[in-house]
Amino acid sequence: MLSTLRNAWRIPEIRKKMIFTLLMLLVFRLGSAIPVPYMNKDAIKAIFESNQGGLLQFLDLMAGGNFSKFSIFATNIYPYITASIVIQLLTIAIPSLEEIAKQGEEGQKKIGRYTKYGAIVLALIQASGYTFGLFSGALETTNALQTSIVIISMIAGTAFLMWLGELITEKGIGNGVSLIIFIGIISALPAELINMYKMVRLGLINIVAVILFAIVALLIIAAVIAIQEGERRITVQYAKRVVGRKMYGGQSTHIPVKVLMSGVMPVIFASSLLALPQTIALFTKGGVSEWITKYLTPQGSVGVWIYSIFNILLIIFFTYFYTAIQFNTVEYAKNLQQNGGFIPGIRPGRPTSDYLGKVVNRVVIVGGLALAVLSILPIVLSKIFGMNVNFGGTAIIIVVGVALETVKQLEAQMLMRHYKGFLK
């Protein structure tokens, strides 16, 4: 990874993209320091201290610390992620949306627009919930205009992050939205480590449990790298063709079917959806909040198991869902047939499509299950050993996965420029 970054830095065009990406992420971190007006910071701090090791800490970790600071990015990029899940599911369910999605680049622009509208609506609901519900005790407004400014500030923060993510994807390196989540989680890591060190010093956590958790974290990192790099190679043979006096084709190659084509998106999507019950628990009071906390969140005695089961099911579902979008077996089989390619022992056309579908399904289930188990393992271990660790499997998988995907994009761009230079 370090050698890739060093080699990429030497290429002027890629260096500009890397610098641009770093500057945009710096803008995100600077924006995280801008507080929402008319909010009492001491009251917000008191709310977080009263919920030490609870739901707020996990949501704050995924928001990159913007939640506890109650900055303009308090609602973060997650309304956009939730909206994109909803729109993609509706695209399958509603024929008119499916037709729009098939209209090429213009259709994708329309779908992107609908996603942004949905994100703004969700950000409005979330910002209103924070203002009038969870943090109503910290609100220091005297009229409707000031209250509107509080809500609009958070909605504008989410809209800005959507724009920033697209800008990074277009002009920088890597997926902009994933990098924003990545840098947010990374920024919270030092505080988490310091907090764990203090708890060990005070005797609140057993040092053996911390060492065990560190070993599990290292194993998760190694496993994520192995899954991301793993692939099943399907041999493809191209038939010989005589054109004039020359013979073309006859070579053998392979189709690389990645164990994890979807990357870390299933984990991001699953964590975004599973955060909804936790958010609702924060907005409600009394019996409803207690029931949600006990049965639907990892902080509950029963909820940790229900949460883990739903986490596994959602990650596997989104792994299949994203793979189906990225790898269309029917189109792949058609392209192979048109170019004179075939899989040895498999007839072209429908049999090839069925065979590719069977292989992809077998590979995907391995990747999905592995991701799901790795994401819940630290949660279960934390519950068994009585550790309040927010930096769990989900955060580790996202960080490692995004880092690997970004480095791969760098390698792809370096390879492309190498070939360009060769052709010149």
Side-chain angles (χ1 to χ4, degrees):
M1 184 184 288
L2 291 174
S3 63
T4 301
L5 291 171
R6 188 169 58 249
N7 293 333
W9 188 260
R10 291 171 183 167
I11 301 170
E13 193 175 342
I14 298 179
R15 183 166 65 241
K16 285 179 184 177
K17 288 190 173 188
M18 290 171 73
I19 292 170
F20 179 83
T21 303
L22 290 171
L23 287 174
M24 292 302 100
L25 292 175
L26 178 62
V27 169
F28 166 59
R29 292 310 302 161
L30 289 173
S32 299
I34 302 172
V36 173
Y38 305 114
M39 295 297 288
N40 188 316
K41 303 302 174 291
D42 293 330
I44 293 169
K45 188 178 178 182
I47 292 169
F48 270 84
E49 286 176 353
S50 65
N51 192 255
Q52 200 64 244
L55 302 176
L56 291 177
Q57 271 62 38
F58 175 77
L59 295 174
D60 187 45
L61 172 69
M62 300 307 289
N66 290 296
F67 199 32
S68 58
K69 296 173 190 171
F70 214 74
S71 73
I72 55 171
F73 297 149
T75 50
N76 210 268
I77 195 75
Y78 289 100
Y80 177 73
I81 293 171
T82 307
S84 67
I85 298 169
V86 172
I87 294 295
Q88 285 180 13
L89 291 172
L90 288 176
T91 302
I92 297 171
I94 302 172
S96 57
L97 273 178
E98 191 176 358
E99 285 298 317
I100 293 171
K102 290 179 179 177
Q103 290 172 6
E105 190 177 342
E106 193 60 36
Q108 290 304 316
K109 283 182 180 177
K110 285 182 181 178
I111 294 293
R113 221 164 26 242
Y114 296 153
T115 305
K116 288 171 189 172
Y117 296 151
I120 295 299
V121 171
L122 288 173
L124 170 62
I125 295 167
Q126 200 170 331
S128 301
Y130 290 160
T131 306
F132 300 115
L134 182 62
F135 297 111
S136 58
L139 193 64
E140 295 182 333
T141 56
T142 54
N143 53 58
L145 177 62
Q146 291 177 350
T147 307
S148 299
I149 289 171
V150 172
I151 295 170
I152 291 168
S153 297
M154 285 184 275
I155 297 171
T158 295
F160 180 79
L161 287 182
M162 287 192 288
W163 173 78
L164 195 69
E166 286 186 351
L167 202 62
I168 292 171
T169 304
E170 183 184 346
K171 297 184 178 181
I173 299 289
N175 183 296
V177 173
S178 297
L179 283 171
I180 287 170
I181 297 170
F182 168 85
I183 206 71
I185 294 171
I186 283 292
S187 65
L189 180 58
E192 281 288 315
L193 292 174
I194 291 167
N195 184 48
M196 190 178 288
Y197 173 73
K198 287 178 179 177
M199 291 179 81
V200 171
R201 286 283 302 271
L202 294 169
L204 298 174
I205 297 179
N206 192 331
I207 186 67
V208 176
V210 174
I211 293 168
L212 180 62
F213 189 87
I215 293 169
V216 170
L218 289 172
L219 290 173
I220 288 172
I221 292 168
V224 171
I225 293 169
I227 295 165
Q228 288 273 34
E229 296 298 314
E231 63 182 27
R232 163 78 187 275
R233 296 184 176 185
I234 302 172
T235 304
V236 175
Q237 185 73 36
Y238 283 91
K240 291 180 180 179
R241 293 179 297 161
V242 178
V243 180
R245 294 183 179 181
K246 292 184 178 180
M247 184 178 287
Y248 296 92
Q251 74 270 26
S252 179
T253 182
H254 67 269
I255 302 170
V257 178
K258 302 290 290 182
V259 175
L260 210 59
M261 289 187 198
S262 54
V264 295
M265 291 311 292
V267 179
I268 294 173
F269 279 8
S271 63
S272 181
L273 287 181
L274 287 170
L276 287 175
Q278 301 183 55
T279 308
I280 293 167
L282 295 173
F283 293 153
T284 54
K285 294 178 181 179
V288 176
S289 178
E290 288 175 6
W291 187 89
I292 292 172
T293 303
K294 183 179 179 181
Y295 290 103
L296 298 176
T297 70
Q299 282 71 32
S301 55
V302 181
V304 65
W305 306 108
I306 296 174
Y307 178 93
S308 299
I309 291 166
F310 274 110
N311 197 21
I312 290 170
L313 294 174
L314 283 171
I315 288 174
I316 292 172
F317 168 75
F318 283 121
T319 302
Y320 269 103
F321 179 71
Y322 239 72
T323 303
I325 293 172
Q326 290 182 321
F327 193 90
N328 190 323
T329 55
V330 175
E331 287 296 320
Y332 220 107
K334 193 187 292 183
N335 291 335
L336 275 178
Q337 191 173 13
Q338 287 173 353
N339 290 288
F342 63 93
I343 298 169
I346 307 295
R347 292 179 64 186
R350 179 68 180 271
T352 298
S353 173
D354 291 342
Y355 176 76
L356 287 173
K358 192 189 296 181
V359 172
V360 168
N361 287 339
R362 286 175 180 174
V363 170
V364 164
I365 190 66
V366 174
L369 275 172
L371 267 188
V373 171
L374 292 173
S375 68
I376 66 163
L377 192 60
I379 297 172
V380 175
L381 286 175
S382 298
K383 200 70 181 176
I384 291 169
F385 290 102
M387 294 170 62
N388 289 320
V389 180
N390 298 312
F391 199 88
T394 299
I396 294 169
I397 290 170
I398 292 171
V399 167
V400 177
V402 172
L404 285 172
E405 286 176 8
T406 306
V407 169
K408 280 184 181 178
Q409 283 203 24
L410 273 175
E411 288 174 346
Q413 294 204 23
M414 286 167 64
L415 188 64
M416 184 176 68
R417 278 155 185 77
H418 172 72
Y419 280 122
K420 279 185 179 178
F422 178 74
L423 290 170
K424 287 177 183 177

